[in-house]
């Protein structure tokens, strides 16, 4: 079955450490997104990419970085500059933007601070 | 900043009963309105997407309505089942970059046997 795979499911970060969250999709979707979900808040957009080798900052990009070297992969790095990284991170993808399409989500990575 | 307000914040109903969840959006422009279901510890799953020309859309026991003039939407769940226990998220789309989505905080629904 086609879908989005996020790994790991749980991740722990030490102070001053960078960590990378993996997101892979086999839906052949052009667009991919990273969201952050905190308790009691709506999802907030970190970064998005509409095509390989191109990506745009979302509302809360500070302290995060991404790459899009392959269509199916969109990894997110949480850098040491992100002072409050504890959250549930969701990756999503959607098909061609010529018409309105739903975003398909992975099952998330929960990041905590050691 | 665009705001999407959902009510109630949480809701408990008995299995087999119907319920309606509300969503209000305060700022334009409007392109589409989405409802997602999110099980605990999982990613959201799309239930419906409506554009301004649609005022109702169904997906099985889920029916979404939209009034673009009053900027209100509702999600009606018929004959609830235990598996309906989840958070339901309303999402307003402006059609801009990254689809221009603004997510509500969700309504946490619990179905009791």
């Amino acid at each position: 079955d086609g879908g989005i795979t996020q790994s790991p499911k749980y991740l722990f970060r030490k102070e001053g450490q960078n960590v990378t969250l993996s997101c892979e999709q086999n839906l052949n979707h052009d667009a991919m997104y990273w969201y952050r979900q905190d308790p009691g808040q709506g999802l907030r957009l970190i970064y998005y990419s509409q095509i390989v080798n191109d990506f745009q900052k979302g509302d809360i990009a500070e302290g995060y970085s991404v790459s899009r070297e392959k269509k199916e992969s969109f990894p997110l790095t949480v850098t040491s500059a992100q002072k409050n990284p504890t959250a549930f991170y969701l990756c999503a993808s959607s098909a061609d933007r010529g018409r309105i399409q739903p975003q398909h989500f992975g099952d998330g990575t929960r990041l905590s601070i050691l | 900043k665009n705001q999407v307000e959902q009510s109630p914040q949480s809701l408990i109903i008995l299995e087999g009963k119907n319920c309606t969840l509300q969503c209000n959006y305060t700022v334009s422009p409007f392109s589409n309105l989405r409802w997602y279901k999110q099980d605990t510890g999982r990613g959201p799953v799309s239930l419906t997407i409506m554009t301004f020309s649609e005022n109702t859309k169904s997906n099985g026991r889920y029916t979404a309505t939209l009034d673009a003039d009053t900027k209100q939407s509702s999600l009606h769940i018929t004959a609830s089942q235990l598996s309906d226990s989840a958070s339901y998220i309303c999402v307003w789309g402006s059609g801009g970059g990254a689809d221009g989505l603004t997510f509500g905080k969700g309504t946490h629904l619990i179905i009791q046997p």
Side-chain angles (χ1 to χ4, degrees), chain A residues 51-107:
Chain A
I51 195 169
V52 174
N53 292 323
D54 184 57
F55 48 83
Q56 306 294 328
K57 292 182 179 180
D59 300 320
I60 55 166
E62 186 175 352
Y64 301 97
S65 66
V66 294
S67 63
R68 186 88 187 276
E69 298 177 0
K70 299 186 296 182
K71 185 176 184 178
E72 57 272 20
S73 179
F74 191 40
L76 173 74
T77 296
V78 183
T79 74
S80 57
Q82 173 49 247
K83 298 307 179 186
N84 184 24
T86 297
F88 190 47
Y89 291 87
L90 288 160
C91 178
S93 70
S94 63
D96 186 82
R97 297 182 75 249
R99 56 192 180 98
I100 296 169
Q101 296 284 346
Q103 291 190 1
H104 299 261
F105 286 84
D107 277 338

Side-chain angles (χ1 to χ4, degrees), chain B residues 5-7 19-24 33-35 48 50 55-57 62-67 70-77 88 90 92:
Chain B
E5 301 290 339
Q6 292 190 242
S7 61
C19 66
T20 300
L21 314 180
Q22 302 290 342
C23 176
N24 297 327
L33 186 286
R34 309 174 185 218
W35 283 94
T48 63
M50 292 181 289
N55 56 23
T56 186
K57 195 165 228 179
Y62 301 101
T63 299
T65 64
L66 172 65
D67 187 332
T70 62
K71 299 178 183 174
Q72 295 180 329
S73 177
S74 65
L75 181 69
H76 186 73
I77 303 174
Y88 292 84
C90 173
W92 218 269

Side-chain angles (χ1 to χ4, degrees), chain A residues 9 33 35 37 40-45 48 50 59 88 90 94 97 100-108 110, chain B residues 1 9 31-32 34 36 38 41-46 49 51 89 95-105:
Chain A
K9 191 167 180 65
Y33 315 83
Y35 292 94
Q37 187 173 35
Q41 293 195 37
L43 274 67
R44 293 181 290 168
L45 182 67
Y48 67 101
Q50 296 175 343
D59 300 320
F88 190 47
L90 288 160
S94 63
R97 297 182 75 249
I100 296 169
Q101 296 284 346
Q103 291 190 1
H104 299 261
F105 286 84
D107 277 338
R110 189 167 299 278
Chain B
K1 179 74 175 168
Q9 187 173 4
S31 168
N32 59 91
R34 309 174 185 218
Y36 280 88
Q38 184 176 22
R42 305 290 298 274
V45 174
S46 178
I49 298 178
T51 63
I89 302 172
D99 297 328
L101 301 185
T102 302
F103 290 77
K105 297 178 181 180

